[in-house]
Amino acid sequence: MLTCALCLWSTKRSNFYARGDLCYRIAPPFHIILEGDYYMKQIYIAPTYKCNNRCIMCGVFNTKKDSEWKYSLEELKTEIDSREIATGDVVIVSGGEPTIYPYFFDMLKYLELKDARVTIFSNGRAFKSNDNVSKLKECKYENMLIPLFGSNAQTHDRLTGAKGSFDDTIKGLHNLELNGLTHSIKTVVMKDNYANLPDWACFVSENFKHPHMVSIHGLHLQGEAHNVSEELYVRHDEIANYVEKALDSLLSNEYKVGISAFPLCTIDPYYWKYNIVSDIKNYKAISKDSKEISETNRNNYELMPTQCESCRVKELCQWPWRMYKKMFTLDYIKPI
């Protein structure tokens, strides 16, 4: 007989065995969303650190965002060429806000020549402009991930630190949708917005019909977030019920959903099939401080709490352990 450590108790699936027991059958397969196959190169590009938001949870320090540093287009092309990016390689374009980079669309067209799978991390504000939407239509990319931190301007603008950012992002999302351009909507769960996650899910459902995915993400305590961690942090087990209600709402409206950067032991196993497993610790960076970014990502994900080392699902459970471990008591994290 085969045993499966993933067949765990779930309030959603009464035929699962008690938590912690092995069972003698194979559970329905968990749908793990991979950001790139393991044999593909994975590249993170930050062409500038400039940003028109001032998000309090941003992983980039404000001192970087205030700098004038950016790649020239030729410098960036040289960096891209040096990584020997090939067909199917995964490229994350971020920053800062990458649409502020003066050669943003030229960069996308150059990456298209490499036939890479490009995902853009953007706040979406640039696409309130019809001109920018028209330029994006001429570029090839796989996805654009846009954060929406609340269902109203008060919450979103407080967390972005930019008055008017909510209205700009909503206009950008509507423009992308009206023009049939691929985009996804995400939120990051923090003390300010976790209790309103079900309302946020309803707002998304009422206003956006065709996002590629709607996802809910745990907090990364690095960059500016590290400086205000007490203001942002709420225990994962206190968040879980709200996350699950939001997912139920989205699923009832037939959205493709995802979750990431949550300890699986705090989430009902029914929702594990929506867990996004990325390989962020192995991303190679193209940025001013490429080595620092790569090393920080690796350390944040590799130095797990002691109790997690014996967990039977640790390979599927990816969240930035290190900074949480340094700052907070994690006695609620229980190995499975």
Side-chain angles (χ1 to χ4, degrees):
M1 289 186 177
L2 297 174
T3 60
C4 177
L6 297 182
C7 299
L8 305 169
W9 173 84
S10 168
T11 58
K12 294 281 186 177
R13 291 289 182 269
S14 59
N15 61 335
F16 275 39
Y17 282 73
R19 182 183 293 261
D21 286 347
L22 290 175
C23 66
Y24 294 95
R25 64 182 179 81
I26 296 295
F30 286 88
H31 176 57
I32 304 301
I33 304 163
L34 296 173
E35 293 183 1
D37 300 313
Y38 72 93
Y39 52 85
M40 299 294 185
K41 290 194 294 296
Q42 299 167 104
I43 310 294
Y44 175 95
I45 300 178
T48 180
Y49 290 132
K50 286 284 187 183
C51 189
N52 51 351
N53 282 353
R54 207 75 169 181
C55 298
I56 63 174
M57 84 301 296
C58 186
V60 178
F61 286 107
N62 285 338
T63 50
K64 289 185 180 181
K65 294 197 282 280
D66 290 335
S67 75
E68 294 301 319
W69 172 81
K70 64 178 180 294
Y71 279 114
S72 71
L73 182 58
E74 291 309 311
E75 287 172 335
L76 185 56
K77 286 180 177 180
T78 298
E79 289 282 355
I80 291 170
D81 289 343
S82 72
R83 299 311 195 277
E84 298 181 340
I85 295 172
T87 299
D89 284 348
V90 175
V91 176
I92 301 292
V93 176
S94 185
E97 169 53 40
T99 61
I100 287 178
Y101 180 57
Y103 312 109
F104 173 71
F105 298 104
D106 301 284
M107 172 183 59
L108 292 185
K109 288 179 179 178
Y110 195 69
L111 288 169
E112 184 176 347
L113 297 176
K114 308 293 183 180
D115 203 22
R117 295 168 53 194
V118 175
T119 291
I120 303 161
F121 289 179
S122 170
N123 60 36
R125 296 179 67 181
F127 301 106
K128 69 177 183 178
S129 160
N130 291 328
D131 183 50
N132 283 336
V133 170
S134 295
K135 290 177 181 176
L136 187 64
K137 278 184 170 182
E138 298 175 2
C139 300
K140 180 183 176 183
Y141 68 98
E142 191 168 271
N143 196 11
M144 181 183 297
L145 195 58
I146 296 175
L148 188 62
F149 298 122
S151 57
N152 55 66
Q154 181 179 3
T155 301
H156 182 85
D157 288 5
R158 165 173 152 63
L159 291 169
T160 63
K163 189 175 181 180
S165 61
F166 178 79
D167 290 341
D168 286 353
T169 295
I170 295 300
K171 289 176 184 175
L173 284 167
H174 280 308
N175 271 347
L176 293 169
E177 186 160 273
L178 286 170
N179 286 273
L181 290 165
T182 303
H183 61 284
S184 292
I185 299 171
K186 65 173 276 189
T187 195
V188 177
V189 186
M190 295 163 280
K191 188 178 291 185
D192 267 23
N193 66 358
Y194 78 94
N196 297 115
L197 279 173
D199 291 338
W200 171 86
C202 288
F203 178 83
V204 169
S205 300
E206 290 169 359
N207 288 277
F208 306 105
K209 302 306 178 186
H210 304 295
H212 173 69
M213 175 182 280
V214 182
S215 55
I216 302 174
H217 300 252
L219 178 67
H220 286 243
L221 292 172
Q222 60 191 63
E224 288 300 313
H226 176 275
N227 294 331
V228 289
S229 57
E230 292 285 353
E231 182 180 348
L232 300 173
Y233 170 70
V234 60
R235 285 170 51 133
H236 296 94
D237 56 343
E238 294 177 9
I239 292 169
N241 185 50
Y242 299 94
V243 172
E244 292 167 6
K245 286 182 178 179
L247 290 171
D248 287 341
S249 176
L250 293 166
L251 288 166
S252 70
N253 286 288
E254 300 183 345
Y255 289 96
K256 180 180 179 182
V257 302
I259 56 172
S260 80
F262 289 104
L264 290 180
C265 61
T266 63
I267 300 286
D268 190 297
Y270 170 74
Y271 300 97
W272 291 1
K273 57 182 171 286
Y274 306 114
N275 188 41
I276 300 170
V277 180
S278 63
D279 201 11
I280 189 170
K281 64 179 179 287
N282 289 324
Y283 271 80
K284 306 300 181 185
I286 296 176
S287 66
K288 183 180 182 181
D289 47 5
S290 298
K291 185 175 180 181
E292 178 187 331
I293 288 176
S294 296
E295 188 69 10
T296 298
N297 285 344
R298 186 181 64 79
N299 285 339
N300 277 343
Y301 277 83
E302 285 190 350
L303 301 177
M304 66 179 68
T306 303
Q307 66 265 41
C308 297
E309 293 173 0
S310 62
C311 183
R312 288 176 290 180
V313 296
K314 65 182 180 183
E315 298 304 321
L316 301 178
C317 184
Q318 293 188 353
W319 56 286
W321 296 299
R322 183 171 69 102
M323 298 308 293
Y324 281 96
K325 182 179 174 182
K326 285 177 66 174
M327 296 179 191
F328 301 105
T329 300
L330 296 175
D331 54 352
Y332 60 90
I333 302 296
K334 307 293 185 184
I336 293 167

